[in-house]
Amino acid sequence: MSGYYADVIVAGAGFTGLSAADALVSAGLDVVVLEARDRVGGRVERMAFADGVGMDTGGQFICDEMPNVMALTRRFSLPLAETPLEGAFLVQPQPFSEAGSSFAESGRIRARANRIDPRDPGIAGLTAGEWLARQSDPEGAKASYQAMVEGLWCRPVGEIPLWYLIDNDRRTISNGNELQYFAEGTIHAAAEALAATLGKRLRLDTPVVRIDRADGSVSVTTGAGDVLTARQVIIAVPPVMASRIAHTPDLPNPLKGALTAWKSGTVIKGLVRYERPFWRDRGLSGMIMWRDTLGLFACDVSSRQASALVMFAGGPVAVEWSGQGHAFIEAEIRRRLVAALGAQAGDVTGLLIRDWVGDPWSGGGYSDVITDLQAYDAEGILRTGAPPVHFASSELASSFPAYIEGAIVAGREAAARVIAVHQSAIATSASGS
Ligand SMILES: Cc1cc2nc3c(=O)[nH]c(=O)nc-3n(C[C@H](O)[C@H](O)[C@H](O)COP(=O)(O)OP(=O)(O)OC[C@H]3O[C@@H](n4cnc5c(N)ncnc54)[C@H](O)[C@@H]3O)c2cc1C
């Protein structure tokens, strides 16, 4: 396939790459999408239980405040289930009554942090952990805030620049109900539906390893050594993965720096099936946060298809569990659920575990996080790119970075930049001829 000439090559068929390609095809451009894995969806993927019921082992939850992903579920007629949230919320290990108050206290710390201007010189060089240590809140509230940050950003609080955390959180403009819905037949089905519209424009098992820029065009070398040429390329992979693609000539220094400012998040997701949602008999919602091990969280994902709990291990705990292996993770999930919900939680009818730590093609999850305290401009530099080379991923979205919604937004924003370059090239050649 060497030598193929397209308007645009998109590297990566996660929601960012698929959404970019979708927008480019709609605008009439000739597009090729090259995906390293043998499937589309990236950090959104489907795994099936023994009885064939499929669930999302990557990104799953969406909400009304996410217009683009909601529109996608309507476009492909994907039925949504409301996440069951009614009932008591458990904090482990401690009496049930304290759960609500420590959650509220952690929310107050989050709101206080988000009122700080990310560019305030008073917080320059401060990590979220250092800022938290200076707060006078009760230790329980601080632990709850740390659990929330490490569970959502999936890196230790001592590594995350406070300015980045604030800036990132402010762009997640929901009313705090990101768990509102999930797609009954998986949200991964939306990625497959988008891929189906691309037909032969999509090539799986085709990693991009090198990009050569010359005379206003790009040559993209794949892992198999094929070379494809195009006018422009969108690298629709997370920044850490993008930093592994070689460039000739070298990318400008600011771009190289911007690509190395990030680390991949670390997360493990477990889906635990039961005959019935027995926790509801005791007035429990199935939502559990662990205090003795920060970054652990569970909630109910039962639908008409199956009764199930999802459990996340995010941040340092995911690294620790991942190092101990699959059997340990399985035993730990079971042990924790039994301790929280009683012996019935041991009657598991199916278990899916997805360890995303060090994932070869997405690096981890939920997203990459800036850990360079000085890298204020990293996102802006990546968004600007070095046309004809453009960068896009959920991390770079103007709204809902690190979410599926953000990936769609980032893909469309990158497509708009590519279309602008394309149209200006057409105008220039028309005026020259
Ligand atoms: C466990 C987990 C749970 C999550 N839960 C939620 C949730 O409930 N709700 C939500 O909104 N979001 C959630 N997220 C986050 C969400 O899934 C991501 O933000 C989003 O899917 C990222 O999409 P993307 O296209 O930017 O990146 P990716 O999905 O990582 O896509 C990048 C693609 O590029 C490919 N690739 C990488 N390198 C190359 C290369 N060199 N050449 C070619 N292809 C390459 C990869 O294989 C991948 O397919 C979760 C993520 C994880 C991991």
Side-chain angles (χ1 to χ4, degrees):
M1 72 180 172
S2 290
Y4 184 89
Y5 199 98
D7 290 322
V8 188
I9 291 173
V10 178
F15 271 89
T16 298
L18 292 169
S19 305
D22 186 49
L24 293 169
V25 169
S26 298
L29 275 72
D30 186 12
V31 178
V32 177
V33 180
L34 305 178
E35 166 55 48
R37 302 184 211 248
D38 62 359
R39 62 163 181 85
V40 297
R43 282 171 277 178
V44 173
E45 70 166 21
R46 174 189 188 274
M47 279 169 71
F49 289 95
D51 62 359
V53 171
M55 285 197 184
D56 284 299
T57 42
Q60 178 172 22
F61 298 102
I62 60 176
C63 66
D64 281 328
E65 281 83 15
M66 301 174 172
N68 294 287
V69 68
M70 292 298 287
L72 215 51
T73 62
R74 289 191 294 273
R75 175 174 162 190
F76 297 119
S77 305
L78 302 180
L80 298 182
E82 274 196 47
T83 308
L85 298 171
E86 257 178 49
F89 162 30
L90 297 183
V91 170
Q92 286 287 300
Q94 78 174 28
F96 301 167
S97 57
E98 289 179 39
S101 68
S102 59
F103 190 65
E105 281 170 353
S106 117
R108 276 195 287 278
I109 301 178
R110 185 177 186 174
R112 191 188 313 144
N114 285 352
R115 280 196 296 274
I116 304 171
D117 180 348
R119 296 277 179 162
D120 183 338
I123 62 159
L126 218 56
T127 66
E130 287 163 342
W131 175 81
L132 185 62
R134 295 179 187 182
Q135 304 306 300
S136 56
D137 302 271
E139 286 310 310
K142 288 199 210 179
S144 191
Y145 176 76
Q146 183 174 342
M148 185 275 295
V149 172
E150 295 191 344
L152 282 179
W153 279 269
C154 295
R155 297 290 320 176
V157 281
E159 267 189 1
I160 308 173
L162 182 63
W163 63 261
Y164 174 75
L165 186 67
I166 297 167
D167 178 62
N168 203 260
D169 206 15
R170 282 179 171 190
R171 280 186 278 149
T172 305
I173 41 182
S174 90
N175 293 327
N177 190 13
E178 292 99 351
L179 298 176
Q180 190 175 11
Y181 308 113
F182 57 93
E184 272 189 344
T186 75
I187 196 70
H188 184 256
E192 287 188 321
L194 271 175
T197 68
L198 294 172
K200 289 191 174 150
R201 297 184 185 98
L202 168 69
R203 297 176 190 180
L204 299 177
D205 296 308
T206 310
V208 168
V209 297
R210 206 179 80 223
I211 297 174
D212 294 58
R213 312 189 296 287
D215 298 332
S217 73
V218 284
S219 295
V220 172
T221 305
T222 71
D226 292 328
V227 180
L228 285 81
T229 307
R231 288 181 215 278
Q232 302 187 67
V233 61
I234 300 178
I235 302 178
V237 311
V240 171
M241 290 293 114
S243 72
R244 298 187 186 166
I245 297 174
H247 292 264
T248 313
D250 261 359
L251 288 172
N253 280 335
L255 254 178
K256 280 205 280 188
L259 282 173
T260 54
W262 307 73
K263 283 188 183 154
S264 307
T266 54
V267 67
I268 296 170
K269 181 169 180 176
L271 288 157
V272 192
R273 286 270 297 278
Y274 293 100
E275 282 297 336
R276 46 182 293 279
F278 64 89
W279 50 91
R280 294 182 195 166
D281 301 344
R282 288 168 49 209
L284 300 176
S285 65
M287 198 181 286
I288 313 165
M289 188 181 269
W290 280 264
R291 228 354 143 45
D292 55 343
T293 313
L294 303 184
L296 287 186
F297 174 77
C299 76
D300 191 343
V301 281
S302 302
S303 68
R304 285 175 300 187
Q305 294 191 54
S307 300
L309 293 172
V310 60
M311 185 159 168
F312 295 98
V317 62
V319 179
E320 193 198 316
W321 285 18
S322 182
Q324 308 249 25
H326 190 93
F328 173 87
I329 298 169
E330 179 172 338
E332 197 61 11
I333 289 176
R334 285 171 182 266
R335 183 181 76 75
R336 298 261 176 182
L337 291 177
V338 168
L341 299 172
Q344 271 177 295
D347 300 332
V348 171
T349 59
L351 181 59
L352 297 176
I353 292 171
R354 175 61 155 103
D355 180 354
W356 286 89
V357 178
D359 179 78
W361 292 113
S362 290
Y366 310 114
S367 76
D368 291 358
V369 170
I370 290 184
T371 53
D372 177 343
L373 285 162
Q374 309 305 327
Y376 288 98
D377 298 331
E379 284 186 33
I381 290 169
L382 287 176
R383 271 189 226 109
T384 305
V389 178
H390 305 263
F391 293 88
S393 69
S394 178
E395 285 78 358
L396 304 179
S398 60
S399 65
F400 285 104
Y403 289 85
I404 301 166
E405 171 74 9
I408 301 170
V409 169
R412 295 202 180 143
E413 288 175 344
R417 295 194 292 273
V418 164
I419 291 167
V421 172
H422 186 76
Q423 286 171 343
S424 116
I426 290 172
T428 309
S429 82
S431 66
S433 58

